[in-house]
Amino acid sequence: MANTGSNTGSNTGSNTGSNTGSNTGRGAVIWEPSDNAWASSKMYQFAEHVEQSSGPTLGSYDEMLGWSLADPSAFWAAVARWQCIDWHDEPSTALSAVSTGSATMPGADWFPGGTLNYAERALAHVEVCGDAVAVVGRSQSRERDETTWIELVDQVARCRAGLRRMGVGRGDRVVAFAPNITETLVAFLAAASLGAIWSSCAPEFGVRAVTDRWVQIEPTVMIAVDGYMFGDRRIERAEHVEQIVAALPTLGHVVRIPYLDAGGEDGWSELLEEYEPIAFDSVPFDHPLYVLFSSGTTGLPKPIVHGHGGITLEHVKAWSLHYDLGPSDRLMWFTTTGWMMWNFLVSGLLTGSTIVLFDGDPSAPDLLELWRTGAEEQVDVFGVSAPFVMACRKAGLRPGDEVDLSRTRHLGSTGAPLPTEGFEWVPEAVGSHIQVGSMSGGTDVCTGFVGTAPMLSIRAGEIGARMLGCNVQAFDSDGSECAPGATGELVIVSPMPSMPVGFWGDDDGSRYTSAYFETYPGVWHHGDWITFHDDGSCVITGRSDATLNRGGVRLGTSDFYVVVDSMPEVADSVVVHLEDRESSGAADGAGELILLVACSDGHALDEGLVAKIRSALRSELSPRHVPDVIDAVPTIPRTLSGKKLEVPIKRMLLGTPAHEAASRDSLADPGALDHIVEWIERRRTSAG
């Protein structure tokens, strides 16, 4: 039986100190908050609001976290009051349950009776920010641009009017095949203002990847660019657009943005040519705001529906309380429109912050490009991916010596676990004043559920804490909470407002329930391995379905990549484990461990490099980490969001055809999959 109790007191202690004590084997503390970090934070302001509203007295992050987990209804109601959410109809309560008889999952009903509109809250700061800059656009396809709050509202109002002329109304789907630029943001907010439902794909997606997503939701309007620059390369997309249009018979209108060719067909100007005063349709709390899709490496991508109210509350909580953002602050996070981090990034507007949108190759003309952009735009919070941090470290970069990052106070990392070495590199090479924070969550909740806050110290290799309102735990196979220091399945035992409204087309909720609640009934099962320490910090070691089990000992894939990918001879690698496969040299019951390596230019996987890899894994990790097979492929397949295809490769090794194991159009380099197919065929031939 799964443990569905609140367990709100466990593993939430001592996050406000230096994380010293009995922590043998853990990384060193690399960043400490100032003495007034709590008193100068927006979390302190929120705590004062809670106390003034007859709530508890909260004097630390631990106390705030404990309250948010013990009484989620009161916590989220307080967030809504503090942020002055624009209710059109006041909700009867913050949290009730409808189908299960309790506030467990699925079945939790957030803010019943309440109506609002995400776009209204996102644009509300125009009243105080006015002529201040709301959006900065940085692009390798055109010159830098700025949009003030007044201008942003004007453009959204015009876009809303244009969509209305096309017949768009509540519940209609508006999609964008467009990059991280201001037009995409404007179209999203305009669609949301009408109660229409949004979905976006980055233009680097292949046609199949796009149509596999959008054919499920039957859009009526598509906004598309003609192409884009990626560094100094012209990427034409007009032909892709025509193929996508042909595959979507429900489309009534296609709005073309002349992005690559400024003199091309311009449907965007026509869409915005008529002005109507801005307005916002009132929608229920759980009315669909957008449909996000899983990465789609296997089968059709899951169409995950997120609601207006849940996204509004979760994102304003995260940006204001965990990242301390407000008017006059600046936020930049490298992302594309096909990744949930784009949806998270643009919600920085909810706090009145200026958001910086970057479109292009983050490594062109060199790996300093993003750092230069962050410095020039004077960003306070600067977000990148963990692989980008590790690539900069591997290249020997020292951004702090090259550009002025004195204003940047937080470096966010997501997309993959950030290794200890990545944490340690930041204070030494970027700036000791910068708090580096790894955050983990995902498309399924469109946020992070473990992360950090301004008053938390940072220990290398660890995520600082559960985020407020996120009752994350580690479960063993019996559904019991793991003791501190033990690794288990990442679960969420209490509902969060930004959990999906459901899956598109899943009318009875069966697919939704199967995806998250079958393993531990009433408990959200996320599919990652996580370890909590006794002070509440945690480490995520990778997907539980990709984790390696050698002779009963679980090994995280991220450990391998820290060692192997840091070698100058190695450009990339992927490791998989075949549990039931015998191999000469493998310990009894250990299965077969396979490491595929793509070498850097000028290097080859010769006997010397194989020996070096084996020796490094044996000495830096353990003898169990030494692969039974080490072989070379030209490139390692990754998704467009940078994730390695560990599970699909494992399925292919076990006999699943490549076209069933992975969607080629969801890959950054579809040809990389062919290399895996060829390697597997050679392996079978030599074995047969």
Side-chain angles (χ1 to χ4, degrees), residues 39-50:
S40 62
S41 70
K42 291 177 177 59
M43 199 174 297
Y44 173 76
Q45 297 172 17
F46 176 55
E48 286 193 317
H49 166 82
V50 170

Side-chain angles (χ1 to χ4, degrees), residues 444-667:
D444 313 83
V445 290
C446 198
T447 190
F449 39 62
V450 289
T452 190
M455 64 290 306
L456 301 183
S457 56
I458 299 298
R459 188 181 287 276
E462 298 180 5
I463 300 174
R466 299 167 175 87
M467 295 177 77
L468 300 176
C470 304
N471 203 345
V472 183
Q473 295 181 17
F475 268 19
D476 63 21
S477 58
D478 295 328
S480 299
E481 186 179 4
C482 295
T487 300
E489 293 274 3
L490 190 159
V491 299
I492 308 173
V493 302
S494 301
M496 292 169 53
S498 69
M499 284 176 173
V501 172
F503 290 168
W504 189 267
D506 181 29
D507 295 336
D508 64 359
S510 58
R511 285 188 66 201
Y512 178 59
T513 300
S514 175
Y516 304 115
F517 301 106
E518 277 193 348
T519 304
Y520 306 105
V523 171
W524 175 289
H525 174 225
H526 198 68
D528 285 336
W529 285 123
I530 191 168
T531 307
F532 280 101
H533 296 294
D534 55 8
D535 58 8
S537 65
C538 62
V539 177
I540 293 178
T541 49
R543 296 290 300 173
S544 56
D545 53 5
T547 298
L548 320 169
N549 192 332
R550 296 277 273 177
V553 178
R554 287 196 298 259
L555 311 174
T557 56
S558 61
D559 296 333
F560 281 81
Y561 303 138
V562 169
V563 176
V564 178
D565 292 356
S566 64
M567 295 180 178
E569 301 93 339
V570 176
D572 204 357
S573 67
V574 64
V575 63
V576 294
H577 182 223
L578 305 181
E579 292 90 346
D580 300 324
R581 187 69 57 87
E582 294 182 0
S583 173
S584 59
D588 290 343
E592 185 179 23
L593 190 61
I594 299 170
L595 177 69
L596 298 180
V597 173
C599 290
S600 304
D601 291 343
H603 295 279
L605 188 69
D606 54 21
E607 291 183 4
L609 181 54
V610 169
K612 179 178 178 180
I613 292 171
R614 291 184 182 278
S615 176
L617 289 170
R618 182 181 299 275
S619 62
E620 296 185 40
L621 298 179
S622 78
R624 290 183 180 272
H625 289 77
V626 178
D628 305 301
V629 175
I630 301 177
D631 213 339
V633 291
T635 52
I636 300 297
R638 288 178 177 260
T639 66
L640 285 162
S641 59
K643 294 180 171 60
K644 305 189 189 199
L645 264 66
E646 296 155 328
V647 174
I649 292 173
K650 179 176 179 178
R651 294 181 66 209
M652 291 164 63
L653 280 163
L654 294 174
T656 301
H659 69 276
E660 294 180 15
S663 169
R664 293 175 60 86
D665 278 2
S666 71
L667 305 182

